[in-house]
Amino acid sequence: MADLTFYLFFDHVKIHNANAISSPLTYGFPAISGFLGAIHALNRKIESDHPIYLDGVLIACHDCDVQVYRPNNYADYTFRLTRNPLAKNGDTRSIIEEGRVHLDVSLLVEVKIDDMETLYNTEQQQSFIKQMKQKLYQQRIAGGQVISIENVSLLSSDESDESLSKLLLPAFVLVEAQQELQEITAELQQKDPNATALDALVETAMLHHHPQEKEHWQTTSVKQGRGWLVPIPLGYQAISPLFDAGMVEHARSNEHPTQFVECIYGLGKWVFPLRLQDNLSQAFWRYKCSELQSNDADIYIINQD
């Protein structure tokens, strides 16, 4: 069994035009699956004599520039879309462009090996670092293009959480906020017994304006005192059987089985790295596939368990 031996640290990865529409209900920062998918693709490209596994991913954001436009303070935000070339007859091409975001992120990735001869000397480590940096440049992250990587380093798994946290500064780390979601849901159920966790997620995106004295209003939010909470997509749940390859018409690939799914939502929280000095290991996102015994629905989820 492979053991956690190193951390692969991608410092200040600048991503251009990443997908800002993270799910049918959320936008802004890309979905976590976009980052884990990129690291999974990177894992499959590793060239080594012995198996090397890239597992959990910690996501720290330095800058998030969503490409939106607002003509005035009272108008809605709209995405800045590119003007694509016209067709030969002068008509606008039927291209549906998605929202875009420019990112500056740092990724801390768990590196697991099952052979002690793997990456045991400096020469092997430098070769591995060079390979990972080059291959990350050659692929996309969350649909965006990697335009620069400030530095890539390989750190021992014995590094303290405090020293790893300082490497991420200045940034905010995305963590799961299950406890806050349960607390908000319980508060809503005191007012409405039929309230659900989905109502709690919607509530975190709302501001309530209460009239006070003349021409004065008080603005409140359920997030007050709970930190920087954000609804996030956490995976998918099957809503159909698994169809054999080629059975579903117009599927993206006829070489693989196909299944219809719906998005699973949860609550995330942006946390300053120094607040994670004692439990940084709990901030790594990982894939988890399981089966819901109640209705036998397949689950594909990302969490920090």
Side-chain angles (χ1 to χ4, degrees), residues 127-250:
S127 176
F128 178 70
I129 291 172
K130 181 179 179 181
Q131 179 189 164
M132 291 297 93
K133 184 174 183 178
Q134 180 181 8
K135 292 187 181 299
L136 192 64
Y137 266 121
Q138 296 172 351
Q139 68 179 45
R140 291 180 176 270
I141 299 179
Q145 180 183 2
V146 179
I147 59 174
S148 72
I149 304 175
E150 186 172 299
N151 186 41
V152 180
S153 56
L154 197 63
L155 309 171
S156 172
S157 60
D158 296 330
E159 290 279 348
S160 66
D161 288 353
E162 181 179 0
S163 60
L164 292 175
S165 298
K166 291 180 179 179
L167 288 176
L168 303 171
L169 297 173
F172 288 93
V173 177
L174 184 60
V175 300
E176 201 170 5
Q178 289 185 349
Q179 182 177 351
E180 287 83 352
L181 179 60
Q182 294 172 358
E183 292 174 354
I184 295 173
T185 304
E187 290 178 7
L188 294 180
Q189 289 175 343
Q190 292 179 358
K191 302 176 182 178
D192 179 7
N194 296 322
T196 64
L198 181 59
D199 296 317
L201 288 179
V202 174
E203 186 69 25
T204 61
M206 297 175 61
L207 293 176
H208 297 277
H209 302 283
H210 308 280
Q212 302 296 315
E213 301 176 0
K214 184 179 180 181
E215 298 182 357
H216 291 279
W217 292 76
Q218 181 184 14
T219 302
T220 61
S221 170
V222 72
K223 296 187 293 185
Q224 287 178 334
R226 289 192 165 99
W228 190 353
L229 300 179
V230 286
I232 54 175
L234 290 177
Y236 305 94
Q237 174 177 318
I239 57 175
S240 77
L242 183 65
F243 298 101
D244 293 334
M247 288 190 62
V248 178
E249 190 176 3
H250 304 306

